[in-house]
Amino acid sequence: MEHTPMPEPLRQAVHQLVSEVVMNCQEVLRYTEPDIARDWKRMTMIRATDASDTMDTAAMLIAAYCKRTGMALDTLSSYLQTRQQRSRAAGPRDADRHEVAGMLGTPRPADDDQDAQTWFSVGQGYVGDGLMAEPDEQRLFTEACLHGLRAKLCDEVAALARKVAGALEVPQPAPA
């Protein structure tokens, strides 16, 4: 198998798209805070789907490059994990509804529905002394990365703003 680096223009595009995703993920986290009661439903869904769509764009750019350079369609399909994709247009699945039921403590599904029971239990894991009672290392790491990337982007924007301000301070020759 050939090991060549990602072409620079593609690398730059992917970096830009991932930066956009980070900003959207940061917004998702921001709208989960208790002080934002008014728009949390709308904004968390909008920013989460924006992040998802942007990552899809990144994956499709990479896929287009791979196809252009001769990757077999079955390999491409495997890498894109097409078997696990689902449409948001279909709305929440039964599994999603059972998981929320577990989070909210609504009545348990019937004992004979093993799939429903499993997702209900997953939802219960987010409650009280469950999975999220103590911030785990992976969650803290994720939040730290998001904050760090946002700070890096802010620093880059600030540096660019300083360059622009510096250029604006240089006297420009009068037009002839």
Side-chain angles (χ1 to χ4, degrees), residues 96-107 120 123-127:
D96 301 317
R97 289 188 283 277
H98 295 304
E99 190 170 347
V100 167
M103 286 178 207
L104 301 177
T106 56
F120 187 87
Q124 286 180 311
Y126 292 101
V127 180

Side-chain angles (χ1 to χ4, degrees), residues 78-141:
S78 169
Y79 290 178
L80 288 172
Q81 304 178 73
T82 56
R83 290 185 183 169
Q84 71 186 44
Q85 72 185 54
R86 65 184 192 133
S87 170
R88 291 191 305 257
R93 301 172 299 176
D94 286 343
D96 301 317
R97 289 188 283 277
H98 295 304
E99 190 170 347
V100 167
M103 286 178 207
L104 301 177
T106 56
R108 282 185 84 77
D111 288 340
D112 62 342
D113 189 344
Q114 226 26 70
D115 192 48
Q117 287 286 331
T118 298
W119 286 108
F120 187 87
S121 294
V122 169
Q124 286 180 311
Y126 292 101
V127 180
D129 294 332
L131 297 172
M132 303 301 278
E134 293 290 324
D136 66 31
E137 284 184 34
Q138 193 61 39
R139 187 172 123 213
L140 291 173
F141 176 76

Side-chain angles (χ1 to χ4, degrees), residues 19-40:
S19 295
E20 290 176 30
V21 170
V22 167
M23 297 302 279
N24 284 317
C25 290
Q26 186 70 34
E27 288 289 306
V28 170
L29 291 178
R30 175 68 186 113
Y31 280 99
T32 65
E33 295 301 321
D35 64 320
I36 304 200
R38 193 184 72 203
D39 281 344
W40 75 266

Side-chain angles (χ1 to χ4, degrees), residues 34-111:
D35 64 320
I36 304 200
R38 193 184 72 203
D39 281 344
W40 75 266
K41 293 173 187 172
R42 178 175 67 92
M43 292 308 296
T44 54
M45 284 190 279
I46 287 172
R47 292 301 178 239
T49 55
D50 286 349
S52 177
D53 289 343
T54 303
M55 283 310 298
D56 282 346
T57 299
M60 290 301 110
L61 285 176
I62 296 165
Y65 171 79
C66 291
K67 184 175 179 187
R68 179 183 178 141
T69 58
M71 182 178 282
L73 290 178
D74 60 329
T75 302
L76 188 60
S77 180
S78 169
Y79 290 178
L80 288 172
Q81 304 178 73
T82 56
R83 290 185 183 169
Q84 71 186 44
Q85 72 185 54
R86 65 184 192 133
S87 170
R88 291 191 305 257
R93 301 172 299 176
D94 286 343
D96 301 317
R97 289 188 283 277
H98 295 304
E99 190 170 347
V100 167
M103 286 178 207
L104 301 177
T106 56
R108 282 185 84 77
D111 288 340

